[in-house]
Amino acid sequence: MAARIVIGLVMTVAAFAVAGRRVWWLRRLAGTGQPAPERFDYARSHLATDLKTQLTEVFGQRKLLKWSVPGAAHALTFWGFIILLLTIIEAYGALFSRTFSIPGIGTWPVIGFLEDLFAVAVLVGLTTFAIIRVRSNPAARGRASRFLGSHTRAAWLVLGMIFLVIATLLMYRGAQINTGVFPYHHGAFASQLVGHWLHPLGYGTNAVLEAVFILAQLGVVLAFLVIVVYSKHLHIGLAPLNILFSRRPDALGALEPMRSNGKVLDFEEADPDTDVFGLGKIEDFTWKGLLDMATCTECGRCQSQCPAWATGKPLSPKQVILDLRDHAFAKAPYLLAASEEARAALPEAAKQEAERPLVGGPDVHGVIDPDVLWSCTNCGACVEECPVDIEHIDHIDGMRRHQVLIESAFPVEAAGMLKNLENKGDPWGMGETRRAEWMTELDFEVPVVDGKIGDDVEYLFWVGCAGALEDRARKTTKAIATLLHTAGVKFAVLGPAETCTGDPARRMGNEFVFSMLAQQNVETLNETGVRKVVASCPHCFNTIANEYPQLGGNYEVIHHTQLLARLVAEGRLKPVSPVEEKLTYHDPCFLGRHNKVFSPPREILEQVPGVSATEMHRCKERGFCCGAGGARMWMEERIGQRINTDRIEEALALEPDTISTACPFCLVMLGDAVSAKKGSGEAKDSLEVVDVAQLLARSVRPADDKPRRA
Ligand code: SF4
Ligand code: SF4
């Protein structure tokens, strides 16, 4: 008995010392990140307002369960380990007293049953994980495997360790039954089965097995503890923390403002010597950014949904996080060194790691390749999927900010767009006077706000650059205006006083140009006294609704599909003329995933007589990007298949007459891909890409009772 106590305690002290050292090191490393005081506000507000969401995410495994089979396996394992904490207490108790039972509940058959039930559940989960890993073997499936790039050997080691935890548990409990010291007389069905198998060995052998497997159980659990803190399984401890400090409701919608030393950066007062401009080195990340890196489970869910990865580009959101994490860990000796002398004394490899540029090509051994950085469309699929709430877009756009503002290093073809935004207020450089042209093509007058908005005007219609200046998007704009006019909605536009919201500049990383445009727009809007805005472009919608509040612009903003769906539901718009078309709807990322507007466009289509709508496989939360977001609209797509082509091929498989969407940029990207397919004979000549508003306008009988074709 004394020997087993000594061995058990020595193992425990040694494991906690090794694990504790690592945890202290991780804590110190997180401390080298930038401060992020806002994260404590987020955490406080989560605890106050959405504790339920937190609990659903962590204990309900909400995001994981979206992937039914692996999600269920993970939930079984997670809950198994929660319940099996009781068996660890029992094993420690048995070190000191063979007949130990947990005071109060330790002999209840239901507890014995639950412990065994979850031990078996963990084995079922393990088997499922093993099958998934074999079937998704990266060596066989290449880029199609979500595990490509993950540390698969470590994952197998952990699966083996979990198996040993359960195996040693059932062995010592089975032996305990045969030596008469097991605390549960009924309920522990799996332990009883193992006890039945061991029974023929006799009391003496079972007594030895009991002692050996109690120590083996504690040894495996303690080894598991050490492996966890040295591997990707850190997420077991870090995931609840990461979720607690994450943005809410998620890291979609708005981009965070640029912060330096824990404060929002003011460009007019910024000091180039002391302020941080975007993410230029690993220590420019906040401690929350470093926590994101350490929390990644390497599950590859983000990678499997990324349109850049799916079309053969070098960007994998998982790999970005892993590369940053590996670099942070490798640079840690340099970051944690107490003095310059200590840094100078570091091994050559550590010094070289410290000098690696965060973004750079293979020639300079950069951590993140520029082709990786600039492939991102900001579509949000990675953020949506991540079970531990990692904020990929913030990190990618943070690095873009440094590249644009400090290094002036970005795809050259986007330079014209930035210059046009600065000088002319729109990405094409067409200038303010052209913004009013579309109104001259209507047979009614659209009021332009001059000074204060009229009391009788309900909505300011934010037209957007594409809606005012791009030929295909202008058709949508006219359709929306016509429908609002038909429904008797009082609306007005800013006309030439409207400028780009700044979204393409911000998503490119040019926060300076974004601030300039956004401040100008907020000033204009505030001067008009407008309260309600309807926007046709999801990027404008997202920026005005979610980002302008950062600059003092607070309005009630809706997308045109939301307003039109409501007008149809209220009977103010009556779709009566049949539109006999088979169509499919493409979810714009900044309307759907970023802002959760999935139903209104579909509700409109349902009300148009004759329309037969079929969903593409990748729709709603799992919608596939058109390739235009993240300012990719203004960059060449030189690597892999074009994203818009991939999307159109999915649509063409449904043989539609029409592809509908609700975003001017999707309209252009999908329209271009359809034109290319028509050229190659893969799409019929009559196939069109139109906005939902255009389809509705074709069906709604206007005031003069003639059907319109917008
Ligand atoms: S935002 Fe979209 S394109 Fe960018 S990394 Fe995430 S999934 Fe890929
Ligand atoms: S970032 Fe999130 S989704 Fe991607 S591999 Fe890591 S844990 Fe999984």
Side-chain angles (χ1 to χ4, degrees):
M1 198 72 188
R4 79 154 99 160
I5 295 175
V6 171
I7 296 171
L9 292 183
V10 167
M11 284 194 306
T12 306
V13 171
F16 272 88
V18 175
R21 190 163 171 265
R22 176 70 169 182
V23 170
W24 178 238
W25 182 85
L26 289 167
R27 165 71 191 82
R28 286 178 62 220
L29 182 58
T32 63
Q34 289 280 311
E38 74 284 356
R39 295 289 169 170
F40 293 96
D41 296 335
Y42 296 164
R44 269 191 289 274
S45 92
H46 298 345
L47 290 174
T49 59
D50 60 5
L51 187 60
K52 197 171 136 218
T53 315
Q54 293 276 311
L55 296 178
T56 325
E57 203 112 308
V58 177
F59 292 101
Q61 306 267 287
R62 184 186 65 85
K63 279 195 167 180
L64 284 159
L65 284 169
K66 285 204 286 188
W67 291 54
S68 41
V69 175
H74 195 278
L76 287 180
T77 314
F78 172 82
W79 272 102
F81 270 86
I82 300 271
I83 299 292
L84 293 178
L85 286 176
L86 293 177
T87 63
I88 296 173
I89 296 170
E90 287 170 347
Y92 267 107
L95 273 185
F96 298 93
S97 162
R98 287 183 67 196
T99 55
F100 174 83
S101 61
I102 298 174
I105 57 166
T107 54
W108 292 1
V110 68
I111 299 290
F113 171 76
L114 283 176
E115 289 172 348
D116 275 25
L117 180 70
F118 278 94
V120 173
V122 171
L123 287 180
V124 171
L126 272 189
T127 312
T128 314
F129 281 137
I131 293 169
I132 291 170
R133 286 204 167 262
V134 169
R135 289 180 56 179
S136 298
N137 181 3
R141 301 200 57 217
R143 286 176 75 98
S145 167
R146 66 183 167 100
F147 298 119
L148 185 68
S150 303
H151 295 92
T152 46
R153 276 198 199 146
W156 280 110
L157 172 68
V158 167
L159 289 187
M161 291 299 293
I162 298 175
F163 172 77
L164 288 179
V165 169
I166 303 300
T168 52
L169 171 81
L170 292 177
M171 284 297 284
Y172 90 72
R173 285 159 72 94
Q176 277 183 326
I177 289 171
N178 294 329
T179 56
V181 296
F182 191 53
Y184 306 103
H185 295 298
H186 307 286
F189 62 96
S191 304
Q192 280 159 0
L193 183 65
V194 175
H196 177 71
W197 292 334
L198 298 179
H199 190 261
L201 299 176
Y203 180 89
T205 307
N206 272 288
V208 173
L209 290 177
E210 178 198 323
V212 167
F213 279 103
I214 283 175
L215 287 175
Q217 155 85 167
L218 292 177
V220 171
V221 168
L222 291 167
F224 189 60
L225 171 73
V226 173
I227 289 173
V228 161
V229 294
Y230 278 89
S231 72
K232 71 166 187 121
H233 282 77
L234 261 178
H235 78 265
I236 293 173
L238 297 184
L241 273 186
N242 208 46
I243 291 170
L244 177 66
F245 289 111
S246 64
R247 289 169 55 190
R248 272 287 174 270
D250 51 32
L252 294 169
L255 267 188
E256 288 275 86
M258 239 171 110
R259 291 192 171 92
S260 169
N261 301 314
K263 295 197 194 100
V264 173
L265 189 73
D266 180 341
F267 280 102
E268 282 174 17
E269 295 186 356
D271 180 343
D273 294 328
T274 55
D275 275 312
V276 171
F277 294 84
L279 304 171
K281 39 191 192 316
I282 200 75
E283 55 269 39
D284 291 343
F285 285 79
T286 65
W287 59 262
K288 172 60 175 62
L290 295 169
L291 182 61
D292 268 7
M293 295 166 207
T295 308
C296 177
T297 70
E298 305 188 17
C299 68
R301 285 170 167 81
C302 55
Q303 179 174 291
S304 73
Q305 301 300 310
C306 174
W309 181 257
T311 53
K313 295 168 185 57
L315 166 64
S316 150
K318 172 184 78 178
Q319 206 56 53
V320 168
I321 299 298
L322 297 189
D323 288 346
L324 291 171
R325 178 179 76 190
D326 292 348
H327 174 60
F329 284 7
K331 196 175 175 182
Y334 176 87
L335 297 173
L336 297 174
S339 63
E340 281 309 319
E341 291 73 41
R343 284 182 173 169
L346 287 171
E348 206 46 44
K351 284 193 234 168
Q352 280 176 5
E353 188 69 34
E355 280 164 18
R356 282 179 77 188
L358 191 67
V359 177
D363 50 330
V364 292
H365 197 36
V367 178
I368 303 293
D369 192 283
D371 282 335
V372 167
L373 189 70
W374 295 106
S375 290
C376 178
T377 66
N378 278 210
C379 72
C382 47
V383 177
E384 173 72 36
E385 288 301 325
C386 183
V388 292
D389 286 3
I390 287 171
E391 299 166 350
H392 313 71
I393 297 180
D394 292 1
H395 304 323
I396 288 173
D397 286 359
M399 288 187 276
R400 285 183 175 187
R401 284 170 172 170
H402 186 85
Q403 290 303 300
V404 172
L405 296 174
I406 302 298
E407 309 289 342
S408 283
F410 53 87
V412 281
E413 63 272 20
M417 177 271 286
L418 287 174
K419 202 161 155 225
N420 288 334
L421 287 183
E422 260 188 286
N423 298 335
K424 300 279 189 178
D426 69 76
W428 295 282
M430 292 167 83
E432 59 184 36
T433 49
R434 303 278 305 273
R435 283 185 179 271
E437 275 177 9
W438 65 272
M439 289 181 257
T440 61
E441 296 160 20
L442 295 172
D443 51 13
F444 58 91
E445 202 173 321
V446 176
V448 178
V449 182
D450 183 15
K452 285 270 173 213
I453 200 161
D455 288 341
D456 60 334
V457 177
E458 194 181 356
Y459 285 101
L460 180 90
F461 177 20
W462 186 273
V463 178
C465 300
L469 303 168
E470 204 282 331
D471 285 345
R472 285 166 280 188
R474 268 160 74 146
K475 290 182 185 167
T476 309
T477 306
K478 287 187 280 177
I480 297 167
T482 304
L483 288 165
L484 296 183
H485 177 71
T486 304
V489 174
K490 297 281 180 216
F491 71 98
V493 296
L494 286 179
E498 190 184 295
T499 64
C500 175
T501 56
D503 167 83
R506 184 169 237 199
R507 300 280 162 179
M508 266 291 292
N510 198 329
E511 191 71 3
F512 180 74
V513 171
F514 167 75
S515 309
M516 191 184 82
L517 293 166
Q519 274 165 10
Q520 184 182 334
N521 281 325
V522 168
E523 219 168 275
T524 308
L525 288 167
N526 287 351
E527 274 168 14
T528 64
V530 65
R531 299 265 41 99
K532 288 180 170 183
V533 177
V534 55
S536 64
C537 169
H539 298 266
C540 298
F541 166 61
N542 181 61
T543 309
I544 302 172
N546 301 324
E547 298 185 338
Y548 280 10
Q550 296 166 2
L551 298 159
N554 295 290
Y555 322 102
E556 189 187 313
V557 191
I558 57 170
H559 185 251
H560 71 265
T561 54
Q562 292 174 295
L563 180 55
L564 295 179
R566 202 169 75 210
L567 294 172
V568 172
E570 289 170 359
R572 292 169 69 184
L573 286 175
K574 291 197 173 67
V576 285
S577 304
V579 180
E580 300 288 351
E581 294 191 9
K582 187 175 164 194
L583 65 80
T584 187
Y585 173 72
H586 163 86
D587 284 285
C589 301
F590 278 77
L591 183 64
R593 210 157 25 228
H594 279 278
N595 285 289
K596 317 291 178 261
V597 179
F598 297 113
S599 303
R602 291 176 168 83
E603 285 162 13
I604 294 171
L605 293 174
E606 272 170 24
Q607 295 303 317
V608 176
V611 162
S612 142
T614 317
E615 293 285 1
M616 282 184 269
H617 176 62
R618 296 177 291 192
C619 64
K620 300 179 186 168
E621 285 89 350
R622 294 240 168 107
F624 193 76
C625 183
C626 73
R632 288 287 323 166
M633 176 91 176
W634 289 275
M635 297 178 215
E636 296 294 335
E637 198 173 336
R638 297 189 186 89
I639 308 173
Q641 189 190 24
R642 290 184 64 81
I643 293 176
N644 57 351
T645 305
D646 187 301
R647 183 54 160 171
I648 280 303
E649 284 173 356
E650 184 180 2
L652 287 181
L654 300 173
E655 300 181 351
D657 304 313
T658 300
I659 297 164
S660 66
T661 188
C663 167
F665 294 118
C666 296
L667 202 65
V668 170
M669 296 302 279
L670 300 181
D672 287 352
V674 163
S675 300
K677 289 289 178 191
K678 285 181 184 172
S680 63
E682 293 167 76
K684 57 187 177 189
D685 283 342
S686 57
L687 179 65
E688 3 167 51
V689 182
V690 294
D691 192 279
V692 170
Q694 285 171 268
L695 278 168
L696 180 63
R698 285 176 195 175
S699 178
V700 166
R701 197 65 47 97
D704 60 8
D705 214 32
K706 280 186 220 131
R708 289 175 197 274
R709 194 165 176 94

